[in-house]
Amino acid sequence: MATQTMHRGRLIDHLQLVVRDLEASRRFYAAVFEALGISIGGSGEDYFWADELFVSTAGSAAAQGALTGRHHLAFQARDRGMVEAFYRAALANGGRDHGAPGERRYHPGYYAAFVLDPDGNNIEAVYHGEAERSAASVEISF
């Protein structure tokens, strides 16, 4: 049997959004993930996923027939330009403005943009300024 390897973040294993219109969400998230340098990891008739985010229809087996409520998700960006590219891609692919790219008062160097996805979820891209990560991701092999 071949070994499989996954890369995950440090706190969240995965999140699921259950959406009304999967194709609208697929267009939106494919565009913003491309701007953030993240590829779609897989997809099926009633779902798709990228990194820790799983998006599905209410009819998918994992959704149990119910839409999720509104959420705030913040995606990491490598620099200010990536935040700006995220914002442009989101608006061009069904997102609505919820806060143009700019400095925020959360801490020095916090640069972010906010958009609403097709289901009204508050989606953010954030660059925390000059910092060094201890690791790009957690690698899990099984």
Side-chain angles (χ1 to χ4, degrees):
M1 177 189 294
T3 300
Q4 293 184 339
T5 301
M6 300 186 304
H7 291 266
R8 292 288 187 254
R10 290 171 277 182
L11 173 63
I12 304 297
D13 183 78
H14 68 278
L15 300 167
Q16 181 177 5
L17 294 179
V18 182
V19 300
R20 290 184 303 268
D21 183 340
L22 187 67
E23 291 312 310
S25 290
R26 191 184 317 259
R27 279 190 305 277
F28 174 84
Y29 284 102
V32 299
F33 287 153
E34 181 178 344
L36 295 171
I38 298 169
S39 58
I40 297 294
S43 65
E45 183 178 313
D46 57 2
Y47 71 90
F48 65 92
W49 64 271
D51 206 63
E52 291 98 350
L53 182 63
F54 184 83
V55 180
S56 72
T57 65
S60 73
Q64 301 177 350
L67 297 174
T68 51
R70 293 207 170 116
H71 298 286
H72 173 99
L73 304 177
F75 301 134
Q76 297 176 31
R78 287 189 299 269
D79 54 36
R80 288 175 173 227
M82 189 173 267
V83 170
E84 293 161 5
F86 156 87
Y87 183 76
R88 287 189 306 272
L91 295 182
N93 288 277
R96 293 177 287 140
D97 173 64
H98 199 56
E103 289 266 347
R104 301 301 193 266
R105 296 182 185 198
Y106 305 128
H107 67 69
Y110 195 109
Y111 189 83
F114 300 84
V115 296
L116 299 177
D117 78 0
D119 281 87
N121 293 296
N122 182 21
I123 309 301
E124 172 185 4
V126 58
Y127 171 61
H128 288 282
E130 295 299 321
E132 187 175 321
R133 296 188 80 179
S134 62
S137 65
V138 175
E139 186 175 323
I140 303 168
S141 298
F142 55 96

